[in-house]
Amino acid sequence: MGRGRVELKMIENKINRQVTFSKRRHGLMKKAHELSVLCDAEIALIIFSSRGKVYDFGSSSVAKTLERYQRCCIAPQDSTIERETQGWYHEVTKLKAKYESLQRTQRHLLGEDLGPLSVKEEKQLEGALTLARQRKTQIMVEQMEDLRKKERHLGDLNKHLKFNIVLSILEAEGQNLKAIQDLWSSGAADGSSSYHVHPSQSKPMDCDPGPVLQIGYPHHDTKSFSGETNFIHGWVL
């Protein structure tokens, strides 16, 4: 009586699943060994159980077989990577040489390590120094021009401020003068009204002037107010 067909799905019972795994693992390894012996094939078999255990079989060596597999299957990619690596290596070499050249140039500009310079390099260095001096002079001239512009601007601003201050002072003085004039006008108007003299009061007042003292020769009669004459030659009292 033959065995029935087994349905391919995971065995739910853990014990049955473990027994089936052990039996079929041994059978698979036996078949791999037979295939390698009968057909002279290089076989590498790696099995991981559900518990994480590893089982392997190799006709010669699993590591050597995997290395051979990598050479055969990943060779084009390795060639591309190798070419890219070579390109980057050449680029790094060029950048390193350029960096060293720039370092030497910087030392030369600082006045260091000038012994190995050739005549051409000395001329190039002199030209570079000349250009640097010209650039420095141009920058200084531009800065001085900017400072002059700022100075003129500040001078104009100062003049404008002074003009505004003087104008405000003059306006304040003008207001004070106007107030004084108004006050003076109002005071003058009040004084003219308070000291107005009536025509009836403009008659001269009768008063006795009293004795008179005259020094020098008289120009008219030397009689006093009482009718007596007191004459001293040259003086009259």
Side-chain angles (χ1 to χ4, degrees):
M1 186 176 178
R3 294 184 300 174
R5 187 175 180 180
V6 179
E7 185 180 0
L8 292 177
K9 66 177 183 179
M10 188 181 69
I11 301 172
E12 299 294 338
N13 193 334
K14 292 178 64 176
I15 297 175
N16 295 337
R17 186 168 64 240
Q18 184 64 29
V19 172
T20 302
F21 173 77
S22 179
K23 289 181 178 181
R24 297 221 173 189
R25 176 173 55 82
H26 284 294
L28 183 60
M29 287 187 175
K30 184 179 178 180
K31 292 290 184 182
H33 174 67
E34 291 175 355
L35 181 61
S36 64
V37 173
L38 294 174
C39 300
D40 192 18
E42 185 177 356
I43 298 174
L45 178 63
I46 300 173
I47 301 173
F48 290 95
S49 67
S50 59
R51 296 182 179 180
K53 292 183 179 181
V54 61
Y55 305 92
D56 59 354
F57 168 80
S59 58
S60 59
S61 173
V62 177
K64 290 182 180 180
T65 305
L66 291 176
E67 186 178 355
R68 182 179 177 183
Y69 172 77
Q70 290 178 353
R71 286 197 304 269
C72 293
C73 297
I74 316 178
Q77 186 176 359
D78 288 342
S79 300
T80 304
I81 293 174
E82 186 176 358
R83 286 195 299 270
E84 290 180 357
T85 304
Q86 290 293 331
W88 284 114
Y89 176 76
H90 291 304
E91 189 69 21
V92 169
T93 305
K94 291 179 181 178
L95 291 175
K96 186 177 180 181
K98 188 174 181 181
Y99 174 72
E100 292 176 355
S101 176
L102 291 174
Q103 279 189 332
R104 286 195 302 270
T105 304
Q106 184 179 7
R107 289 196 299 269
H108 295 162
L109 292 174
L110 294 175
E112 301 175 357
D113 195 14
L114 298 177
L117 287 178
S118 61
V119 178
K120 184 178 179 180
E121 290 176 345
E122 288 180 357
K123 290 182 179 179
Q124 291 178 354
L125 182 60
E126 290 178 358
L129 291 175
T130 303
L131 292 176
R133 292 191 186 98
Q134 292 177 357
R135 178 58 181 167
K136 183 178 179 180
T137 304
Q138 182 180 359
I139 292 174
M140 293 178 65
V141 170
E142 291 177 356
Q143 290 179 352
M144 291 177 64
E145 187 64 26
D146 293 338
L147 291 175
R148 290 194 186 98
K149 289 180 180 179
K150 291 181 180 179
E151 183 181 4
R152 289 194 294 268
H153 177 68
L154 291 176
D156 295 339
L157 184 61
N158 190 16
K159 290 180 181 179
H160 184 67
L161 291 175
K162 286 182 178 180
F163 178 76
N164 290 335
I165 292 172
V166 172
L167 185 62
S168 61
I169 292 173
L170 291 176
E171 289 179 353
E173 293 294 336
Q175 292 177 359
N176 294 333
L177 182 61
K178 185 177 180 182
I180 292 172
Q181 290 177 351
D182 295 340
L183 181 63
W184 179 265
S185 300
S186 62
D190 295 340
S192 61
S193 61
S194 59
Y195 291 99
H196 180 69
V197 179
H198 196 270
S200 61
Q201 297 179 357
S202 60
K203 294 180 179 181
M205 296 178 65
D206 296 334
C207 61
D208 187 6
V212 176
L213 176 63
Q214 183 175 357
I215 300 174
Y217 292 102
H219 296 284
H220 50 273
D221 192 5
T222 57
K223 291 183 179 182
S224 64
F225 291 96
S226 59
E228 297 179 355
T229 302
N230 295 326
F231 178 77
I232 299 176
H233 184 74
W235 298 93
V236 177
L237 294 176

